[in-house]
Amino acid sequence: MSWFSHAAQPVQTETEAFWYLNLTSEQQAAYDKLLEHLKETRGLHKGHDDRFTLLRFLKARQWDVHRAAAMYQNMVKWRIEQHADHLYETFMFPEREEVLRYYPHFYHNTDKYGRPIYIELLGQTDPSKILEATTLDRLMHYHVCDVENLMRRILPACSVLAGRPIITKSVILDMKGVSMKTFGSAAQKILKTAITIDQDYYCETLGQMFIVNTPTVFRVIWAVVNPLLEERTRRKIVILGSDFLPTITQLVPLERLPTCLGGSSEVPEGLVSIGPWMDVQLSPSPAASAAAASPAATASVTDLQKGAKGARDGEDQDGTAAACGNGGDGGGGHSDLTSVDVKATTMIGPAPGLHQSATAPGRLARLGDEEEV
């Protein structure tokens, strides 16, 4: 984490952003051991047994296999107890429009690495009003469903568009207008609960976070928030004042930033989330390869191949291109491809080197992964 200053701050490099495609031999060995351990103990959880999920838990525990396994098993236990899959499929949140009035948040475009950008306008937030509109339990259920949607739909679609796996998001928190009144007991209760869920059960989904327009009172707020964050999370946070554009535009071009943050991209009425992933529909289809060969798809397929080539070449250089077995998230003999409907006109397959997860609909895996039977 860097504290705000008037000088532009460094942002993540491409290598840092795509750490999961640039493993060292020691990290690959840790992955192999974790996978073997979870297979032997029958600890792999359907839909969360892909290579990138296991790598996220390893990174969250500094590549310590035993600690990563314990964290992964706690995640599995939590998902079962919370009926997370059923929640995602059935949860309804009719109070969302009212909650948005007091808690403005939305996804808006992608950064230069193809990662979705999540934005919260915290200066316009009224936590006490949020908890009048809904309960903490329902708000957290909504939060879980939002993260599930990120994992199941947004990130896989971004992966197809980027031509390489995208497993993290960028975050911008706008503090303009925040006061200690904003950060009362209700806010702290909401924040603590959400941080616990994100860090423990959806670890390493944050790529980079910018906290902007930080007021003087933010130092007091940070003193409360800081102990709630693990060091791995703090390292991804850049704290900026009102002159944040020189730093943020290193990662997010002005034309992709919303106008409320000094960019030129309009935010739809009602804070509707927008991004290129909205024009992509993922669905398993044996006919995808045939559709990809159609004249209408040629340009799109070519673009994806170009985008993926660099990632594959980079992986080949450090020996990580051939992914090991991931307990169900794919297989060398898996023939189904992902159909992608772009603006409902172009049908294309997934980027080369990616295919549809066998156990997690919408999630993509790398070709060459061994399928667990």
Side-chain angles (χ1 to χ4, degrees):
M1 180 212 69
S2 58
W3 200 258
F4 62 90
S5 69
H6 294 291
Q9 300 295 307
V11 300
Q12 282 182 331
T13 65
E14 186 167 5
T15 299
E16 291 170 336
F18 292 97
W19 60 267
Y20 47 90
L21 299 180
N22 300 282
L23 301 184
T24 65
S25 57
E26 291 81 5
Q27 291 169 344
Q28 179 63 45
Y31 168 79
D32 293 340
K33 290 178 182 178
L34 176 61
L35 178 61
E36 182 180 3
H37 170 74
L38 292 175
K39 283 183 175 180
E40 289 177 351
T41 59
R42 297 184 178 275
L44 286 169
H45 189 61
K46 184 178 180 180
H48 300 270
D49 47 8
D50 59 283
R51 174 180 177 85
F52 300 117
T53 293
L54 300 189
L55 287 176
R56 288 194 294 107
F57 280 87
L58 277 166
K59 189 170 189 291
R61 289 297 175 259
Q62 293 76 51
W63 304 93
D64 184 307
V65 173
H66 294 295
R67 294 177 62 216
M71 187 182 189
Y72 179 89
Q73 290 160 355
N74 286 337
M75 177 274 292
V76 171
K77 180 181 178 183
W78 174 82
R79 292 193 66 86
I80 294 172
E81 292 176 347
Q82 298 296 317
H83 306 285
D85 292 325
H86 181 71
L87 181 70
Y88 175 73
E89 294 165 359
T90 62
F91 182 71
M92 303 295 289
F93 199 60
E95 61 267 46
R96 182 176 185 273
E97 185 176 346
E98 188 174 1
V99 167
L100 276 176
R101 289 175 55 195
Y102 306 114
Y103 173 34
H105 61 281
F106 52 96
Y107 282 92
H108 197 84
N109 293 327
T110 57
D111 66 18
K112 72 176 184 180
Y113 299 133
R115 301 179 298 190
I117 304 167
Y118 174 72
I119 297 170
E120 291 188 359
L121 306 179
L122 294 180
Q124 302 176 33
T125 297
D126 188 333
S128 61
K129 292 290 186 180
I130 295 172
L131 295 184
E132 288 179 9
T134 189
T135 66
L136 180 60
D137 282 345
R138 284 186 58 77
L139 184 64
M140 289 305 105
H141 286 164
Y142 167 69
H143 177 69
V144 167
C145 289
D146 190 55
V147 182
E148 288 287 317
N149 187 61
L150 171 74
M151 305 296 288
R152 297 174 187 233
R153 298 181 60 189
I154 297 177
L155 293 179
C158 287
S159 299
V160 171
L161 293 169
R164 53 183 169 179
I166 301 293
I167 70 171
T168 61
K169 64 181 178 181
S170 287
V171 174
I172 303 175
L173 304 182
D174 184 8
M175 303 291 287
K176 186 176 182 179
V178 167
S179 65
M180 285 307 298
K181 181 181 178 181
T182 309
F183 196 68
S185 59
Q188 294 181 42
K189 184 184 297 184
I190 293 171
L191 184 62
K192 183 176 182 179
T193 308
I195 286 177
T196 297
I197 291 172
D198 292 349
Q199 290 191 147
D200 291 354
Y201 312 125
Y202 297 101
C203 60
E204 294 300 329
T205 55
L206 172 64
Q208 178 108 68
M209 177 184 289
F210 298 102
I211 303 178
V212 305
N213 285 319
T214 49
T216 303
V217 73
F218 179 75
R219 293 182 182 273
V220 179
I221 295 173
W222 185 249
V224 177
V225 175
N226 189 48
L228 302 176
L229 303 175
E230 295 188 12
E231 178 57 32
R232 62 188 172 86
T233 302
R234 295 190 198 103
R235 287 195 296 267
K236 301 174 185 178
I237 299 174
V238 180
I239 302 176
L240 303 162
S242 58
D243 51 349
F244 55 84
L245 285 178
T247 297
I248 285 189
T249 51
Q250 295 177 60
L251 189 65
V252 184
L254 273 176
E255 61 270 20
R256 298 188 198 175
L257 271 178
T259 52
C260 61
L261 290 173
S264 57
S265 180
E266 295 289 340
V267 179
E269 186 177 351
L271 299 181
V272 175
S273 294
I274 61 170
W277 62 83
M278 298 179 67
D279 297 326
V280 177
Q281 293 182 354
L282 299 172
S283 59
S285 171
S289 55
S294 68
T298 302
S300 297
V301 172
T302 301
D303 290 343
L304 282 176
Q305 288 173 336
K306 289 179 179 178
K309 184 176 184 299
R312 294 202 311 278
D313 290 347
E315 289 174 303
D316 290 340
Q317 291 173 4
D318 66 8
T320 61
C324 296
N326 60 14
D329 191 41
H334 189 52
S335 60
D336 285 354
L337 295 176
T338 301
S339 309
V340 183
D341 187 353
V342 181
K343 293 186 182 298
T345 58
T346 305
M347 299 297 292
I348 60 178
L354 297 176
H355 72 117
Q356 181 68 41
S357 165
T359 65
R363 186 168 295 171
L364 301 179
R366 289 197 296 179
L367 291 173
D369 285 2
E370 218 173 65
E371 184 166 351
E372 174 74 3
V373 181

